[in-house]
Amino acid sequence: MTQNESDTFEIGSTTVHRLGFGAMRLCGEEIIGPPEDEDAARELVRTAVDRGVDFIDTADSYGPGVSERLIGETLDDPDDVLVASKAGLLRNREGEWLHHGDPDYIRNQVLCSLDRLRTDTIDLYQYHRPDPDTPFEDSVQAFAELKDEGLVEQVGLSNVSVDQLETAREHVDVATVQNRYNVGDRSEADVLEACEEYGIGFIPWAPIDGDDLESHGETLDEVAEDHDATRRQVALAWLLERSDVILPIPGTSDPDHLESNLAASQLSLSDDEVARITDLEN
């Protein structure tokens, strides 16, 4: 059985392996409704944890509510797994993602997430996406208050700029930032640099997006061939080598893909290979 052999990182007072699991794909098609086989989804979560994954990322909008519920039913608030969730983005049956950063809404959503995750305190609660119709500081302050009240342990941000990160840090200790970042899309490099400066965990969403990887597929395939690996495994291994604060959370509903992702934690790229991929144009 392939084990998670990635290095570790401290989120607050909790130490986790840097290669985590993104739980968005536990839902049905288009991230709406339940999966066809809920037992298989729960078994996938159990398998991930059994293989050393101790950082799982979800959101109230995945399903909506489905991913959180399945995780809660499977794990029942374990002490040895950090479960992160998010609020501030709605998901409707038409497939739209809608901003909703109103403080009262966030305070309501945390109660729903606590119930679905079967816990008294959410380990890491992240503001999913800034809402142009709600002052950013008001939304962040709501998260800060949830932390003060003990409903959440740590606060994170998602899809933010460096300026927004700086603003948020005036109101609350920010444990993590989750922005899009991968081999083919490094437009958020300035946010990564800020996280490195402050010792904040950087969670790249879409860490192995197929379309992004295609832009540098030839180089990735050449490196993969030397390691008897796949393009996607090389891309994940590069993220783990790229920065000590990066916490990739590849998501899947397929046990074989989970196995492949975990194998990437055992892939050792040379300094020259890391530099070769890092120097690719984006």
Side-chain angles (χ1 to χ4, degrees):
M1 296 190 302
T2 305
Q3 291 292 317
N4 186 0
E5 296 184 5
S6 60
D7 292 336
T8 60
F9 184 85
E10 289 188 6
I11 298 178
S13 60
T14 303
T15 301
V16 299
H17 285 88
R18 287 174 52 216
L19 182 64
F21 175 73
M24 183 173 73
R25 298 292 175 186
L26 296 180
C27 307
E29 292 186 10
E30 305 299 326
I31 324 301
I32 298 172
E36 289 186 8
D37 189 339
E38 291 199 0
D39 287 338
R42 284 185 282 265
E43 182 60 29
L44 186 71
V45 175
R46 290 191 195 94
T47 299
V49 172
D50 288 344
R51 302 292 181 84
V53 173
D54 49 15
F55 176 42
I56 296 177
D57 178 83
T58 185
D60 61 9
S61 55
Y62 298 163
V66 172
S67 177
E68 287 184 326
R69 173 177 61 80
L70 290 172
I71 292 169
E73 291 171 351
T74 304
L75 301 182
D76 198 19
D77 191 24
D79 292 332
D80 56 349
V81 180
L82 188 154
V83 177
S85 195
K86 297 182 285 290
L89 198 60
L90 298 177
R91 180 70 165 167
N92 63 25
R93 291 192 175 274
E94 286 68 48
E96 298 174 296
W97 298 96
L98 307 172
H99 304 83
H100 203 331
D102 179 80
D104 288 338
Y105 173 77
I106 291 169
R107 296 187 66 85
N108 180 78
Q109 286 305 101
V110 76
L111 300 179
C112 297
S113 293
L114 285 165
D115 181 66
R116 288 188 290 254
L117 291 171
R118 301 187 179 187
T119 185
D120 295 324
T121 305
I122 295 177
D123 299 324
L124 172 63
Y125 204 45
Q126 306 156 93
Y127 185 23
H128 206 155
R129 186 180 293 273
D131 180 358
D133 295 326
T134 303
F136 180 70
E137 292 183 71
D138 290 355
S139 301
V140 170
Q141 185 59 37
F143 280 82
E145 291 169 359
L146 296 178
K147 181 178 179 181
D148 290 342
E149 295 166 17
L151 296 176
V152 306
E153 183 70 25
Q154 299 293 331
V155 170
L157 305 171
S158 185
N159 300 295
V160 294
S161 66
V162 172
D163 286 345
Q164 288 170 324
L165 171 58
E166 298 284 6
T167 297
R169 293 182 71 243
E170 296 175 2
H171 296 269
V172 66
D173 288 334
V174 176
T176 59
V177 171
Q178 185 170 162
N179 281 19
R180 183 182 177 89
Y181 188 87
N182 57 47
V183 167
D185 183 354
R186 302 181 216 171
S187 56
E188 301 294 325
D190 58 337
V191 181
L192 171 58
E193 291 175 3
C195 288
E196 290 174 326
E197 179 181 351
Y198 299 129
I200 292 172
F202 183 87
I203 307 169
W205 62 266
I208 46 176
D209 183 272
D211 291 337
D212 287 326
L213 298 188
E214 185 65 34
S215 61
H216 299 309
E218 182 177 352
T219 298
L220 293 174
D221 289 343
E222 289 172 355
V223 175
E225 185 176 359
D226 290 338
H227 291 271
D228 192 24
T230 68
R231 175 187 300 182
R232 295 165 67 88
Q233 287 171 331
V234 170
L236 274 178
W238 174 79
L239 283 171
L240 291 168
E241 296 280 2
R242 178 69 181 86
S243 171
D244 291 341
V245 305
I246 288 182
L247 309 166
I249 49 166
T252 184
S253 60
D254 187 316
D256 290 338
H257 287 167
L258 173 64
E259 185 86 9
S260 176
N261 293 340
L262 291 174
S265 72
Q266 302 177 1
L267 185 60
S268 181
L269 302 181
S270 69
D271 291 344
D272 287 344
E273 288 170 331
V274 172
R276 182 179 173 191
I277 297 171
T278 302
D279 291 342
L280 291 170
E281 293 184 4
N282 287 269

